[in-house]
Amino acid sequence: VQLQASGGGLVQAGDSLRLSCEASGLTFNSGVMGWFRQAPGKEREFVAARRWGYRDTYYSDSVKGRFTISRDPSKNALYLQMNSLKPEDTAVYFCSARRRNIVVSGLYNHNNYDYWGQGTLVTVSS
């Protein structure tokens, strides 16, 4: 299984970015895929995740209403559309995957994910 994240960059506050995660060796009809981020000096934190079997999506409170997960099955790709970016969104963003479903409370713990992409840096200037 490989996850390849891309799409990061330097933007200004209020701008938008779309991150991409191309997955190989995984299907999007089971398990979980999501995004985490890690700012300098901070722990990795949950951003968003989708449980494919339950067809539900969860977001952290800090990004709810601004970020959206979507997918393109034809490309086996997962996207994170980020709107109204804020300087506090600055971090390295990682896509992640878990082969089996998990209870909702487990989505927020990065230790519950089996696979990780290499990360893509998002910098938001004020």
Side-chain angles (χ1 to χ4, degrees), residues 12-89:
Q12 293 187 331
D15 285 350
S16 298
L17 271 179
R18 189 179 77 159
L19 304 184
S20 300
C21 178
E22 294 191 10
S24 58
L26 281 176
T27 59
F28 286 14
N29 55 11
S30 65
V32 179
M33 285 192 73
W35 293 90
F36 283 74
R37 67 187 182 186
Q38 189 164 16
K42 295 188 176 181
E43 294 190 358
R44 192 166 297 192
E45 67 168 348
F46 173 82
V47 175
R50 181 163 179 86
R51 299 190 304 173
W52 300 115
Y54 293 97
R55 300 185 182 180
D56 53 8
T57 307
Y58 295 86
Y59 299 92
S60 68
D61 288 341
S62 61
V63 308
K64 197 175 297 182
R66 299 187 297 123
F67 291 12
T68 305
I69 275 185
S70 63
R71 66 166 178 163
D72 183 343
S74 67
K75 298 181 180 179
N76 226 32
L78 181 76
Y79 303 104
L80 183 69
Q81 178 66 42
M82 306 186 296
N83 298 329
S84 302
L85 282 162
K86 305 174 181 180
E88 50 264 42
D89 294 319

